[in-house]
Amino acid sequence: MEVRTCKQCKRLFNYISGAPVCGACRDLLEKKFIEVKEYVRENPHEGINEVAKANEVSTNQIRRWIREERLAFSDESGVGLDCENCGKTIKTGRLCQACKDKLIGSANDLYKTSDSVVDKKHREAARMRFLEN
């Protein structure tokens, strides 16, 4: 465990993992999240600025919840973030579905090719050789 200063209230606390905020501030932030989530459900056409003002939360915090895929806005709302890879407008997360699929496909291809190459090289090196008398 590590002792850190809370980013919100500046008190010392035992840091384990996650955001560098104390338990009390984390609980307060979670309550705010629930309020924002309910507000978005009741007002699906509101933008980020309106949601932030109505719930007394920063727009950066709302964007963080969207990036974490904890909060999503409807298609009718004007709220959208840019895909970190291609720049396409998305409603939640970091990547659009096309970029997610491409990333997963390239990772799978890399795994498959590396296994076959490694197996082939390993088999060649591990073959038993006999000395002729």
Side-chain angles (χ1 to χ4, degrees):
M1 256 191 273
E2 177 180 349
V3 177
R4 286 195 182 178
T5 304
C6 176
K7 282 192 166 190
Q8 300 288 329
C9 65
K10 307 298 183 212
R11 285 185 271 173
L12 293 176
F13 72 103
N14 287 330
Y15 175 77
I16 298 173
S17 67
V21 292
C22 66
C25 291
R26 185 176 297 128
D27 292 342
L28 182 64
L29 193 61
E30 192 62 28
K31 286 179 186 176
K32 282 290 185 185
F33 170 73
I34 292 169
E35 289 175 17
V36 168
K37 188 174 178 180
E38 289 300 318
Y39 184 84
V40 169
R41 279 188 186 152
E42 293 169 5
N43 306 296
H45 301 292
E46 297 283 327
I48 289 180
N49 292 330
E50 291 84 12
V51 173
K53 285 180 186 176
N55 293 286
E56 298 175 356
V57 178
S58 71
T59 56
N60 288 335
Q61 182 61 54
I62 293 174
R63 284 188 184 92
R64 198 171 306 132
W65 286 329
I66 294 170
R67 291 273 184 219
E68 292 171 355
E69 296 185 0
R70 294 184 71 193
L71 192 62
F73 286 83
S74 66
D75 291 333
E76 294 84 30
S77 72
V79 176
L81 300 174
D82 295 333
C83 172
E84 292 182 356
N85 190 37
C86 69
K88 180 180 173 183
T89 302
I90 55 175
K91 295 295 179 183
T92 189
R94 294 184 175 274
L95 300 172
C96 66
Q97 192 60 44
C99 290
K100 285 180 185 178
D101 293 341
K102 189 187 303 182
L103 184 66
I104 289 170
S106 64
N108 286 339
D109 291 344
L110 179 67
Y111 179 72
K112 288 176 185 174
T113 44
S114 66
D115 277 351
S116 62
V117 170
V118 169
D119 286 344
K120 190 174 185 179
K121 288 181 181 178
H122 180 65
R123 276 186 268 138
E124 289 294 322
R127 285 180 28 196
M128 185 177 288
R129 291 172 175 75
F130 296 97
L131 295 175
E132 294 192 31
N133 292 340

